[in-house]
């Protein structure tokens, strides 16, 4: 990855040249910079007036001792509040439109005399999952990403790294890990590749292994939806919206804390070592082109989510429908599988279907909730899940409480990375050990956290009840 | 009067001129590539809210260095 | 995706690096991090490579094409790098492409608001190849900051064409395409001004060049390789072995290096 200076030819060259350490290198770089300085002196006519003033003044606020961290937290909360509030209405609209079309499709299939299994696979399996993914994923993503891009174009991300670097150093990691974590919100696979900006192999591995603690765009909507239903009371009141926002922001913060903790633990055990050198350029603030960012980013997200829905969610929907409707004995395949997982699921305050949905969601995190719904729905009647309220009802009917919801959110934050990310980790590290570890660490933490929440909630319930 | 000290000892707001680097290997290359060659004028801008790293103005760009790196750059205060 | 895990040997390299279609020119976009390479790339190709206001946004090379004056140009967007001495994996992608990818033209995108710092890389690139175009980007910001650059004088000092631009606004890109085409077709032949180092270095480099030439066979600029060896750049040795199939650490060659430096 990086050059060692142990190559005999180089060692020999330097020794024979009587060159103490790096003197040739120094003299060459000095000559280059001297030349650059001369050229710049001759050609740059007006010496740069201290127009840096603006940047420095903004830095004095955004990275100030007093305001640096509160501003970061406030931005986190504001971004998620806007996302939750803004996504609510378009989500409902999209859902009612898309599920109205499902009825049309169904009657079309009836008129054409299509067999029930075909209608099942195509409409109830593929189309319904697709509709869900689009309705639930698209609006929050189309709001979150433009906001995030605005901050990115402004130049705020390197300031986050600047503010947080000391914590990374204490965890034995590299400050640029903050940048790769930010990329992870978009997609963990991209975040993992982005870890190339970290020179030191050890610190790069830390960043790769912990990138999954940034919930990616396939998981954020799950967090947002569940928070809206169970913590936000369907966002009908201002207090509800605040509660939901704080829950989502809290989960993100927990991810950040765990990322630090895991990095710290790894750099004291498996990836022992001292922090290497850290240099980070803080670019000038640039006013983002707001309109262009918004239109571009909304368009990009729309295309992205649609493509993912067609390529991943629809086939997964068909597959799950088959699992849910092929019966072995009295139960469907999915019931059998969930049955095996039930003891473990119950032990940690989830259930077998939830664990199964996460397992079947390995190809892509956005299909976890649709798979879960389909397996719940296959048991009873075919409700149309065309609003948050109905979704909530279905979940409650299957025994969900706010503890279940919280645990699903926690497990969504902490479980194995998606298949693409695992493959990317393998490609970037060229060893099976690291993707394996990247899956084991968060899963263990996730199960432990869920268990703990269940335990505490039980104690709390007993205390209140008694 | 000017004294020799390290970059990490520069107070925010003060500036110095690079005298020599005490770093070797990869770190030294990094620092050189960033323009920290002898004679370069450096202004200490501000510290991170947690006290480290520090942002410096070096040859037209703002660059953050940790205390460990800053210590390896000797400067003459100006 | 990294070059490092692609097959070794020069022929495989050429196939990997060069698009299959012949009759087109290969153009590399190099530059310091955050100088606007991806923005220039997008403006020239109409593609939508991700940009962002922080150094390190691009870590893989991206490709696109554009046509101009009847020629096709394959454009490669590279990760940003402060120097040609590769430190990190992503910088190595850039270095390997510039040195071993044999682009017909290398465009160095430069941040006009801090020219001096950016010239460091330009000066290094013009040591490796003569087919260089400097794109003086972010001119709009430079104007806002009251920075005025004497472009013809800069071109004269460097010995390569310099095109001022503001890629985000699409300013100066027509000129840039013209100049890229002229350099690619040979209508314009830049003559970079070499940098003269101190006598020791020049003497050692000159002797080393004599030894290196038979091995490099003109595939790399021998003076540049000699300077890097004097600096002790081990990743370049790896690169030369991987892409050119020449092991400069072989006993025979090592002996010759000894003679040069003795
Ligand atoms: N005002 C202005 N901003 C620009 C111009 N060109 C690029 N930018 C902005 O500069 C920032 C960096 O641009 P990129 O194209 O991502 O830079 P890059 O060189 O590809 O960066 P890396 O991939 O990180 O090396 C972005 O925020 C762009 O919007 C320009 O001509 N004028
Ligand atoms: Mg780029």
């Amino acid at each position: 990855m990086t050059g060692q200076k142990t190559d005999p030819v180089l060692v020999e060259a330097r020794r024979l040249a009587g060159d103490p350490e790096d003197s040739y290198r120094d003299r060459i770089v000095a000559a280059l910079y001297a030349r650059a300085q001369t050229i710049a002196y001759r050609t740059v006519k007006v010496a740069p007036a201290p127009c840096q003033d603006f940047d420095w003044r903004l830095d004095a606020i955004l990275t100030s001792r007093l305001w640096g961290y509160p501003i970061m937290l406030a931005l986190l909360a504001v971004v998620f509040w806007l996302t939750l509030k803004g996504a609510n209405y378009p989500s409902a609209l999209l859902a009612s439109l898309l599920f109205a079309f499902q009825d049309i499709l169904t009657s079309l299939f009836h008129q054409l005399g299509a067999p029930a299994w075909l209608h099942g696979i195509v409409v109830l399996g593929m189309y319904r999952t697709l509709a869900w993914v689009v309705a639930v994923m698209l609006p929050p993503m189309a709001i979150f990403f433009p906001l995030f891009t605005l901050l990115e174009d402004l130049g705020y991300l390197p300031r986050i790294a600047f503010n947080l670097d000391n914590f990374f150093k204490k965890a034995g990691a590299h400050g640029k890990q903050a940048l790769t974590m930010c990329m992870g919100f978009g997609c963990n696979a991209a975040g993992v590749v982005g870890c190339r900006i970290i020179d030191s192999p050890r610190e790069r591995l830390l960043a790769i292994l912990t990138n999954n603690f940034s919930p990616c765009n396939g998981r954020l909507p799950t967090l947002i939806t569940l928070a809206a239903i169970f913590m936000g009371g369907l966002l009908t009141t201002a207090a509800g919206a605040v509660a939901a926002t704080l829950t989502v922001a809290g989960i993100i913060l927990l991810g950040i804390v765990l990322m630090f903790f895991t990095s710290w633990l790894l750099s004291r055990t498996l990836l022992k070592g001292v922090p290497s050198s850290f240099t980070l350029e803080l670019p000038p603030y640039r006013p983002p082109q707001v309109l262009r960012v918004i239109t571009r980013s909304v368009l990009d997200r729309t295309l992205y989510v649609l493509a993912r829905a067609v390529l991943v969610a629809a086939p997964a929907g068909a597959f799950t429908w088959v699992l849910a409707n092929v019966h072995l004995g009295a139960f469907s395949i999915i019931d059998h599988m969930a049955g095996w997982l039930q003891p473990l699921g119950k032990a940690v305050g989830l259930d077998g279907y939830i664990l199964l949905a996460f397992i079947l969601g390995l190809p892509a995190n956005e299909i976890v909730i649709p798979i879960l719904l389909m397996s719940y729905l296959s048991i009873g009647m075919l409700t149309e899940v065309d609003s948050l309220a109905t979704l909530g009802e279905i979940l409650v009917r299957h025994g969900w409480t706010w503890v279940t919801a919280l645990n699903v959110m926690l497990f969504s934050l902490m479980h194995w990375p998606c298949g693409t990310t695992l493959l990317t980790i393998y490609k970037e590290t060229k060893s099976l050990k690291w993707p394996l570890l990247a899956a084991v660490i968060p899963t263990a933490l996730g199960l432990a956290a869920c268990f703990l929440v269940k335990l505490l909630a039980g104690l709390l319930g007993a205390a209140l009840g008694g | 009067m000017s004294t020799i000290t390290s970059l990490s000892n520069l107070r925010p707001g003060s500036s110095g001129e690079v005298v020599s680097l005490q770093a070797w290997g990869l770190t030294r290359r990094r620092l050189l590539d960033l323009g920290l060659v002898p004679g370069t004028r450096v202004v200490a801008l501000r510290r991170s809210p947690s006290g480290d790293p520090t942002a410096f103005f070096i040859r037209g760009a703002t660059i953050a260095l940790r205390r460990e790196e800053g210590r390896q750059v000797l400067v003459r205060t100006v | 995706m990294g070059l490092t895990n692609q097959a070794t040997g020069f022929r495989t390299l050429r196939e990997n690096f060069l698009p299959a279609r012949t009759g087109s020119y290969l153009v590399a976009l190099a530059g310091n991090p955050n100088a606007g390479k991806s923005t220039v790339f997008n403006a020239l190709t109409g593609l939508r490579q991700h940009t962002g206001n922080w150094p390190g946004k691009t870590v893989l090379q991206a490709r696109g094409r554009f046509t101009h004056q009847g020629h096709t140009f394959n454009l490669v967007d590279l990760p940003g790098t402060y120097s040609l001495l590769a430190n990190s994996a992503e910088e190595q992608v850039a270095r390997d492409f510039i040195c071993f990818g044999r682009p017909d033209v290398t465009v160095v995108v430069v941040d006009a608001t801090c020219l001096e710092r950016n010239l460091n890389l330009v000066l290094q690139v013009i040591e490796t190849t003569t087919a260089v175009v400097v794109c003086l980007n972010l001119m709009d910001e430079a104007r806002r900051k009251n920075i005025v650059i004497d472009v013809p004088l800069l071109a004269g000092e460097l010995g390569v064409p310099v095109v001022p631009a503001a890629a985000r606004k699409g300013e100066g890109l027509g000129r840039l395409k013209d100049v890229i085409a002229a350099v690619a077709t040979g209508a314009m032949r830049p003559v970079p001004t070499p940098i003269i180092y101190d006598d020791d270095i020049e003497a050692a480099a000159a002797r080393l060049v004599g030894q290196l030439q038979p091995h490099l066979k003109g595939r790399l600029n021998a003076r540049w390789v000699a300077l890097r060896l004097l600096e002790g750049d081990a990743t370049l040795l790896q690169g030369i072995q991987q892409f050119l199939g020449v092991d400069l650490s072989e006993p025979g060659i090592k002996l010759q290096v000894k003679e040069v430096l003795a």
Side-chain angles (χ1 to χ4, degrees):
Chain A
M1 219 174 292
T2 45
Q4 286 110 31
K5 303 205 311 176
T6 49
D7 198 289
V9 73
L10 297 176
V11 174
E12 200 53 24
R14 244 198 314 277
R15 198 179 63 78
L16 287 163
D19 180 20
E21 252 319 305
D22 295 305
S23 107
Y24 270 122
R25 163 86 186 143
D26 280 24
R27 279 143 71 194
I28 288 175
V29 180
L32 285 168
Y33 265 109
R35 178 97 178 103
Q37 208 168 342
T38 316
I39 296 178
Y41 180 74
R42 286 187 195 148
T43 56
V44 180
K45 283 300 176 223
V46 177
C51 192
Q52 259 92 23
D53 258 18
F54 172 75
D55 281 1
W56 293 354
R57 251 179 297 170
L58 201 51
D59 266 337
I61 302 168
L62 293 180
T63 68
S64 89
R65 195 166 256 279
L66 189 61
W67 293 109
Y69 300 122
I71 288 177
M72 279 171 61
L73 291 175
L75 278 172
L76 185 75
V78 167
V79 164
F80 282 110
W81 185 79
L82 286 173
T83 307
L84 271 150
K85 275 306 258 186
N88 203 17
Y89 177 71
S91 242
L93 190 73
L94 269 177
S96 58
L97 278 179
L98 290 169
F99 286 104
F101 188 67
Q102 185 187 325
D103 295 340
I104 300 178
L105 273 181
T106 300
S107 54
L108 194 73
F109 271 70
H110 275 302
Q111 272 168 24
L112 295 177
W117 61 264
L118 189 66
H119 173 254
I121 290 184
V122 174
V123 178
L124 300 179
M126 292 173 80
Y127 181 79
R128 198 166 51 175
T129 313
L130 191 138
W132 249 101
V133 168
V134 171
V136 175
M137 304 271 310
L138 188 50
M141 293 302 92
I143 296 173
F144 177 79
F145 280 96
L147 292 176
F148 192 81
T149 311
L150 288 178
L151 287 179
E152 177 178 2
D153 281 3
L154 175 69
Y156 188 63
L157 301 196
R159 271 73 190 184
I160 297 182
F162 180 65
N163 285 347
L164 292 181
D165 176 63
N166 208 12
F167 302 108
F168 281 103
K169 185 168 85 182
K170 290 195 172 124
H174 198 285
K176 285 186 185 173
Q177 197 169 326
L179 298 171
T180 64
M181 295 300 289
C182 286
M183 291 194 81
F185 282 114
C187 162
N188 291 129
V192 166
V193 179
C195 294
R196 290 181 177 201
I197 59 174
I198 298 173
D199 323 341
S200 137
R202 187 188 71 86
E203 286 157 24
R204 189 174 150 202
L205 264 175
L206 285 178
I208 288 176
L209 290 176
T210 53
N211 195 268
N212 192 42
F213 288 116
S214 283
C216 64
N217 77 65
R219 292 183 281 162
L220 273 175
T222 306
L223 300 180
I224 289 172
T225 311
L226 292 180
I229 296 174
F230 285 91
M231 284 77 186
L234 303 171
L235 304 183
T236 43
T237 62
V242 170
T245 304
L246 290 182
T247 309
V248 176
I251 295 273
I252 304 288
L253 278 182
L254 179 66
I256 295 171
V257 169
L258 286 170
M259 177 270 296
F260 278 119
F261 171 74
T262 311
S263 303
W264 176 84
L265 197 68
L266 283 170
S267 59
R268 262 148 202 82
T269 50
L270 263 182
L271 290 168
K272 264 205 192 90
V274 286
S276 74
S277 70
F278 168 82
T279 57
L280 173 71
E281 184 175 343
L282 301 173
Y285 290 104
R286 299 198 163 112
Q289 299 165 297
V290 179
L291 270 180
R292 188 145 129 201
V293 165
I294 290 176
T295 47
R296 272 249 163 128
S297 201
V298 169
L299 198 70
D300 276 353
R301 276 301 118 183
T302 311
L303 290 177
Y304 177 83
V305 172
L306 286 180
R308 293 279 287 189
V310 172
L311 292 177
V312 186
F319 178 69
T320 318
W321 189 87
V322 173
L323 287 188
N325 286 276
V326 173
H327 287 252
L328 299 173
F331 296 104
S332 69
I333 299 179
I334 228 168
D335 293 333
H336 284 293
M337 290 161 77
W340 301 326
L341 293 167
Q342 186 75 357
L344 176 63
K346 279 289 173 204
V348 295
L350 300 168
D351 69 25
Y353 289 99
I354 297 173
L355 283 184
L356 183 64
F358 275 109
I359 292 173
L360 293 178
L362 179 71
N365 279 298
E366 55 259 52
I367 57 180
V368 169
I369 293 291
I371 289 178
L372 182 61
L373 282 179
M374 203 171 312
S375 39
Y376 278 161
L377 289 179
S378 71
I379 303 170
M381 67 240 72
L382 282 168
T383 324
E384 277 184 6
V385 201
D386 58 357
S387 73
L388 279 187
T390 7
L391 174 60
E393 276 166 34
I394 294 168
L395 295 177
V396 169
R397 217 183 309 137
H398 285 86
W400 281 46
T401 61
W402 66 269
V403 179
T404 327
L406 181 60
N407 274 350
V408 170
M409 291 167 80
L410 287 173
F411 199 67
S412 174
L413 176 73
M414 297 174 262
H415 70 287
W416 50 88
C418 74
T420 317
T421 305
L422 288 173
L423 211 65
T424 310
I425 296 178
Y426 174 70
K427 270 193 183 159
E428 292 289 304
T429 60
K430 296 179 196 75
S431 145
L432 277 175
K433 179 172 155 197
W434 303 117
L436 200 69
L437 200 64
V440 169
I441 295 172
T443 309
L445 283 172
L447 290 175
C450 289
F451 179 72
L452 208 68
V453 166
K454 186 197 156 196
L455 208 68
L456 289 178
L459 289 178
L460 193 72
L464 290 181
Chain B
M1 203 198 80
S2 69
T3 49
I4 305 280
T5 178
S6 77
L7 260 193
S8 50
N9 287 334
L10 278 190
R11 283 260 172 84
S14 60
S15 50
E17 198 182 282
V18 177
V19 177
S20 75
L21 300 184
Q22 304 291 305
W24 315 111
L26 209 67
T27 311
R28 188 182 184 94
R29 293 173 174 190
R30 258 272 179 263
L31 296 175
L32 286 170
D33 281 344
L34 288 173
L36 287 168
V37 299
T40 303
R41 182 74 184 271
V42 180
V43 187
L45 294 180
R46 53 182 305 101
R47 301 210 194 283
S48 153
S50 59
D52 191 47
T54 306
F56 298 95
F57 191 67
I58 306 168
R59 290 185 187 258
T62 305
I63 289 167
L65 299 177
R66 281 183 183 165
R67 194 169 294 131
E68 286 73 3
E69 278 73 59
R71 260 205 284 271
Q72 297 171 326
V73 183
L74 295 190
V75 292
R76 179 182 299 118
T77 54
V78 281
Chain C
M1 280 277 276
L3 300 171
T4 38
N5 47 25
Q6 286 179 358
T8 53
F10 195 63
R11 197 158 296 150
T12 14
L13 174 83
R14 276 192 78 94
E15 276 165 10
N16 279 331
F17 273 173
L18 289 179
R21 199 207 280 202
T22 53
S24 64
Y25 295 105
L26 186 61
V27 180
L29 275 179
N32 277 29
N34 213 36
K37 296 172 296 298
S38 301
T39 311
V40 170
F41 177 87
N42 290 348
L44 289 180
T45 60
L47 293 174
R48 288 157 69 183
Q49 166 78 349
H50 288 291
T51 63
N53 191 13
W54 53 283
K57 178 81 191 184
T58 310
V59 289
L60 301 168
Q61 40 161 313
R63 295 153 169 280
R65 80 175 60 207
F66 69 93
T67 53
H68 188 65
Q69 300 173 344
H71 301 288
T72 304
F73 298 87
N74 286 293
L75 198 60
V76 181
D77 183 22
L78 296 171
T81 168
Y82 290 106
S83 84
L84 283 187
L85 200 95
N87 288 327
S88 63
E90 128 252 23
E91 285 183 346
Q92 199 171 342
V93 171
R95 200 277 312 273
D96 283 349
F97 193 88
I98 297 168
C99 300
F100 303 106
R102 305 210 117 196
D104 295 297
V105 183
T106 303
V107 178
V108 187
V109 179
V110 164
D111 179 347
T113 63
C114 45
L115 184 62
E116 181 189 313
R117 151 177 301 281
N118 281 244
L119 281 178
N120 180 36
L121 180 69
V122 177
L123 293 173
Q124 293 184 43
V125 173
I126 60 177
E127 280 187 325
T128 68
T129 164
T130 58
V132 176
V133 176
V134 169
C135 171
L136 198 56
N137 192 35
L138 289 150
M139 282 302 279
D140 53 335
E141 257 183 39
R143 275 193 297 268
R144 231 186 40 230
K145 293 186 177 174
N146 288 325
I147 299 171
V148 180
I149 297 173
D150 186 336
V151 176
L153 185 60
L154 179 59
E157 290 279 345
L158 293 170
V160 300
V162 176
V163 183
R168 205 157 89 168
K169 294 181 171 172
E171 204 183 291
L173 296 168
R175 250 312 291 299
L176 183 60
K177 285 191 216 175
D178 291 344
V179 175
I180 291 174
V183 173
T185 55
M188 188 188 275
R189 288 185 191 282
V191 187
T193 320
I195 295 150
I196 313 294
Y197 298 96
D198 58 41
D199 295 345
D200 280 5
I201 296 179
E202 286 295 336
R207 275 175 289 167
L208 208 44
V209 163
Q211 307 286 354
L212 285 169
Q213 240 142 15
H215 300 287
L216 296 175
K217 301 190 183 77
R219 289 171 297 184
L220 270 187
N221 183 321
R223 174 182 153 86
W224 180 74
V225 176
L227 288 168
R228 298 294 80 72
L229 289 185
L230 289 176
E231 275 186 350
D233 181 354
T235 61
L236 183 70
L237 284 182
Q238 288 162 18
I240 289 174
Q241 178 169 17
Q242 182 182 354
F243 295 120
L244 305 186
V246 178
D247 187 357
L248 292 179
S249 308
E250 269 168 22
I253 299 173
K254 185 175 148 192
L255 238 167
Q256 289 162 337
V257 173
K258 271 187 194 171
E259 280 162 22
V260 166
L261 294 166

